[in-house]
Amino acid sequence: MADDYVRRTAITRLEVTDEQRDLLEDTISEWKRGCQIATDMAWGNCSAKSDVQPLAYDDVREHTDLGSQHAILAAHQAAQAITGCIERRSKGKKVSKPTFTAPTVRYDTRTMTLFDDDTVSLSTTESRVRCDLALPDADDGYQRQYLDSDEWSVTESTLTARDGDYHLHIGFRRHKNDTERNTAEDGTVLGVDLGIENLAVTSTAYFFSGRELTHNLREFEKVRAGLQQTGTRSAHRTLEQSSDRELRYVRDVLHRASNAIVDEALRYDCDVIVFEDLTHIRDRTGASWGHKWAFRTLYEQVEYKAEAEGISVKQVGSAYTSKRCAECGFTADENRPTRNDFRCVKCESEANADYNAAKNIGMRYVRRGQQSSRRTGNSQLALQSGTVMPSGGFTAHPEGFEAEFMDKPHPPRANPSG
């Protein structure tokens, strides 16, 4: 069962020759065409992989240069996209037939092989290409914990083209251990909101600023644009060096942020860390491509670091978390007068908007436990001043935890001087 596995993604740039670049570009183009052919045939007819594959396989093979396995994967990708549309439609959202424009292509263990010399072999529309993985010089690069371990096995991966570079998102999985299988889904919950101004804000009022990251992502983007416009071989080399610097910088920021979130969960003795659903975070936040990638990578880093501590990591729906008052529950557009401020027009409570959203995200998971047959419904949300339950019951943290100025007054602590 899929739930028996822990899954991770390791991202690395590929070193490619001009000939390999042409083959990969052609493969990406044919992949998009194959996915679209399968989608056009299956849309309105079927959505299961087992139905889409026999329906579309022959046409994908006939009208593209994809190999047999990639034709199967393209049918599966179409099925996945159609299933996503059906799920959104069931929630009352307007959907249209998927179109495939992203410069990506899916790989599995039949179309991709990793070698011990840090190279990878990839199927293309003509022949296999063998490329070097542009891994960090140091042996402590995060990819090593997966590449060098017998515990992790390779699963489906994705090749992405961006700004003239090719990045391979390598999927890994391992079996869950007994502790991970038995991680409690109830208990104390830490809510986390992700954003631009603040990269991460927790329900315990920990703020990890995103200003420096946003500024530097913009600067890297300017440099890339200038070098691409120059177009010389020297500029291309400089572009590769700049991309490596950018990746190292962002990885360092996300490493510090993920450590801070897990440390916060440990400090408040949390059993679960909860994020909002990341599916449409780019639309909700106005995030750049770089930010969207950073959000997903941060989530993955928190996931594996938290699970190593016996803390589970979950996602909940994001609807109205930014417009709902965490104090009284009133939801309205007018509650967000500015990007950073939250002022409830009903109960008049005020808070930082990201902090208000973090509490809503955590409380949504807590409330969901009350309707779940798999959970006891005894979860509580971690705040800086104590823990709160959906019923309004509040337990103050012991002496040593600062009172939370953005919360409404709570029952006095046993030791008022604390």
Side-chain angles (χ1 to χ4, degrees):
M1 290 176 58
D3 287 343
D4 286 337
Y5 291 99
V6 176
R7 299 177 185 274
R8 296 290 178 268
T9 302
I11 305 172
T12 180
R13 187 173 56 80
L14 299 182
E15 301 279 6
V16 298
T17 65
D18 289 341
E19 182 181 358
Q20 291 172 336
R21 182 184 302 276
D22 291 340
L23 287 172
L24 292 176
E25 281 296 330
D26 188 52
T27 303
I28 289 172
S29 177
E30 294 298 282
W31 167 260
K32 290 189 289 187
R33 194 141 61 96
C35 292
Q36 197 63 58
I37 290 171
T39 299
D40 291 345
M41 296 183 70
W43 184 251
N45 296 315
C46 56
S47 60
K49 289 180 181 179
S50 57
D51 294 327
V52 178
Q53 181 179 324
L55 174 69
Y57 175 80
D58 289 342
D59 280 68
V60 173
R61 288 283 280 147
E62 181 180 351
H63 298 293
T64 74
D65 294 329
L66 294 177
S68 58
Q69 187 60 21
H70 260 140
I72 292 172
L73 292 175
H76 292 177
Q77 183 80 10
Q80 181 179 330
I82 294 170
T83 299
C85 287
I86 293 172
E87 290 175 353
R88 290 196 294 276
R89 183 187 292 151
S90 68
K91 297 176 182 176
K93 296 183 179 179
K94 198 173 181 180
V95 299
S96 56
K97 184 173 66 176
T99 56
F100 294 85
T101 58
T104 65
V105 57
R106 181 83 61 85
Y107 281 89
D108 64 1
T109 53
R110 293 186 181 183
T111 51
M112 182 187 87
T113 305
L114 282 175
F115 295 97
D116 292 338
D117 62 353
D118 295 337
T119 62
V120 62
S121 172
L122 300 170
S123 292
T124 70
T125 50
E126 292 185 22
S127 59
R128 278 195 169 236
V129 297
R130 188 160 176 172
C131 312
D132 289 324
L133 302 176
L135 295 164
D137 293 334
D139 290 335
D140 60 354
Y142 86 101
Q143 297 95 335
R144 287 292 177 197
Q145 62 188 297
Y146 310 116
L147 291 167
D148 298 343
S149 172
D150 294 333
E151 190 180 19
W152 293 92
S153 58
V154 178
T155 59
E156 286 196 350
S157 306
T158 301
L159 179 70
T160 299
R162 179 182 175 227
D163 297 332
D165 286 330
Y166 296 88
H167 291 88
L168 191 61
H169 298 234
I170 310 170
F172 290 91
R173 74 178 188 183
R174 65 166 171 79
H175 284 284
K176 287 183 178 180
N177 57 41
D178 291 339
T179 300
E180 289 164 335
R181 286 192 188 94
N182 298 326
T183 298
E185 289 190 315
D186 281 299
T188 304
V189 175
L190 182 74
V192 181
D193 179 67
L194 302 179
I196 308 298
E197 181 76 12
N198 294 297
L199 179 59
V201 178
T202 71
S203 59
T204 52
Y206 178 84
F207 287 71
F208 193 98
S209 176
R211 291 181 182 178
E212 179 185 304
L213 175 64
T214 298
H215 171 76
N216 287 331
L217 283 175
R218 286 173 180 160
E219 291 302 309
F220 280 122
E221 187 63 40
K222 290 177 185 176
V223 170
R224 276 200 304 273
L227 291 171
Q228 287 169 341
Q229 194 170 17
T230 303
T232 64
R233 182 172 296 181
S234 173
H236 181 71
R237 284 197 301 269
T238 306
L239 179 62
E240 289 183 345
Q241 294 168 353
S242 176
S243 296
D244 286 342
R245 281 197 303 273
E246 179 180 9
L247 192 60
R248 285 196 301 271
Y249 164 73
V250 176
R251 282 283 176 194
D252 177 65
V253 173
L254 300 182
H255 173 67
R256 288 187 281 116
S258 58
N259 281 347
I261 292 169
V262 175
D263 286 346
E264 194 75 355
L266 290 170
R267 181 184 179 218
Y268 287 88
D269 200 20
C270 295
D271 302 284
V272 187
I273 299 173
V274 180
F275 291 80
E276 61 183 319
D277 184 356
L278 303 182
T279 304
H280 301 293
I281 194 167
R282 187 172 180 179
D283 296 333
R284 292 195 303 275
T285 62
S288 64
W289 186 96
H291 268 108
K292 182 181 177 183
W293 173 83
F295 292 150
R296 294 191 178 281
T297 305
L298 176 60
Y299 177 84
E300 290 169 358
Q301 288 190 6
V302 170
E303 190 176 35
Y304 80 76
K305 292 176 182 180
E307 288 183 351
E309 300 288 350
I311 301 170
S312 61
V313 180
K314 304 290 181 181
Q315 292 186 29
V316 296
S318 59
Y320 307 116
T321 53
S322 65
K323 299 175 182 178
R324 179 187 184 276
C325 177
E327 299 295 345
C328 73
F330 182 70
T331 304
D333 291 342
E334 293 78 14
N335 286 349
R336 286 287 300 274
T338 69
R339 183 188 188 96
N340 298 324
D341 297 323
F342 185 92
R343 298 172 190 163
C344 181
V345 298
K346 184 176 181 180
C347 74
E348 299 184 348
S349 65
E350 298 184 13
N352 174 277
D354 297 334
Y355 172 64
N356 178 77
K359 292 199 287 186
N360 279 327
I361 289 165
M363 187 54 77
R364 177 161 293 177
Y365 181 83
V366 170
R367 288 197 180 94
R368 201 171 68 180
Q370 295 179 308
Q371 286 87 42
S372 173
S373 59
R374 298 188 299 111
R375 293 170 55 193
T376 65
N378 292 327
S379 296
Q380 54 192 357
L381 177 65
L383 303 174
Q384 190 180 50
S385 52
T387 56
V388 63
M389 301 183 72
S391 62
F394 177 80
T395 303
H397 288 308
E399 184 177 359
F401 286 85
E402 296 179 5
E404 186 175 20
F405 74 92
M406 282 181 286
D407 268 347
K408 282 189 170 182
H410 291 298
R413 303 180 184 209
N415 180 357
S417 64

